[in-house]
Amino acid sequence: MATIRVGLLGYGGLGQAAARMLAAKKQMILVAAVDSKGYAYHLEGLDAAHLSLAISRHGSIGYEPVVGVVADDPIQALLANQWPVDGYFLALPNLPNTFIASVARTFIASGWRGVLVDAVKRTSAVEQLLALGPDLERAGITYVTGCGATPGLLTAAAALAAQSFSEVLSVQVTFGVGIGNWEAYRSTVREDIAHLEGYSVESAQAMSDAQVSALLERTDGLLKLENMEHADDILLELAGICGRERVSVGGVVDTRNPRKPLSTNVRVTGRTFEGKTSTHTFTLGDETSMAANVCGPALGYLKAGIELHRRGHHGIWSSAELMPRFVS
Ligand code: IKT
């Protein structure tokens, strides 16, 4: 396979981690990156360390000398150049809840053809993307949705585990995330807060950093999330594994400690053809970070999407329908 030229939309905690991960890959090269104020492009490859420096010194990768451009609408501005990029990882916060679908529409309108993968989490966000399926197909775009840790890695694991059963009775995703400093993941933490009782996507998005810090002060840095609106349900339902009411997602985020508060796992309970009820459990290693478990699968699904795209398959797929391909 020819080297895959990758773009990253979003250069916060997850985008920067994906860039670091790409630096160690041979099959992929980072050629484009976008943040809220600008973009950078270089066909021979961008330097992740230089981009991070441009952010810490000037607030945007658009200020990176030679390769950076500051722009009001950086995604539009980058696409207008029509420079070659095979696929993009949308490492963007989905705030508001319509944002990722609006980005997909920007790609459709631009005439660009290639692969898009996202790490969206909410069921309603995936519904908006599924509605774009025919437009993505006509535009020659191969879109894979729900490609992070959950939905993503754990959804694929659930789909694999289901194979032992005649009927899947429940899928329970429980995550434990530890981050040393919440400010490295400002948007992700706001997305998590939006799931708490008394908050919405709009109110969490509108919170100042001081308000987020005050909330975390009250909870000892912990965010406990239960029965989340989570796209693992719709993705497993569409893949024919089980009804969405049988899927539940929750977990704990510790914003003051990089150690996971519990081991992330997915438990798939089903009935075998012999009438026995049993549970398969897939547990992530405690030493793996959220960044590794989101960005690794996203790149793996990007590679799987590239293979589909090169065979002429366009439209929308999900992490429950495809296996990610390991990127060396
Ligand atoms: C969410 O799905 O919204 C929560 C996210 C969970 C990430 C799981 C990572 C698992 C792991 O690394 O062990 C995140 C907390 N926003």
Side-chain angles (χ1 to χ4, degrees), residues 253-299:
V253 182
D254 188 343
T255 61
R256 294 189 177 162
N257 190 344
R259 256 177 83 101
K260 293 188 189 201
L262 58 94
S263 301
T264 298
N265 65 86
V266 56
R267 289 166 57 80
V268 180
T269 301
R271 222 183 331 263
T272 68
F273 77 100
E274 303 102 328
K276 295 246 165 52
T277 299
S278 187
T279 300
H280 285 331
T281 306
F282 175 77
T283 306
L284 303 190
D286 286 344
E287 299 75 17
T288 60
S289 63
M290 172 171 71
N293 293 320
V294 171
C295 299
L299 298 182

Side-chain angles (χ1 to χ4, degrees), residues 158-210:
L160 190 61
Q163 306 306 317
S164 301
F165 303 121
S166 303
E167 186 189 2
V168 172
L169 302 173
S170 69
V171 176
Q172 272 177 287
V173 172
T174 309
F175 57 79
V177 171
I179 45 183
N181 159 27
W182 82 267
E183 283 162 330
Y185 289 99
R186 282 191 167 87
S187 306
T188 308
V189 166
R190 280 184 176 79
E191 283 188 74
D192 293 335
I193 291 172
H195 287 277
L196 295 174
E197 184 96 17
Y199 291 85
S200 64
V201 175
E202 292 72 30
S203 65
Q205 186 185 2
M207 285 171 84
S208 65
D209 284 359

Side-chain angles (χ1 to χ4, degrees), residues 50-65:
H50 287 178
L51 295 182
S52 294
L53 211 59
I55 293 185
S56 57
R57 287 203 181 136
H58 309 291
S60 170
I61 55 179
Y63 292 100
E64 172 66 0

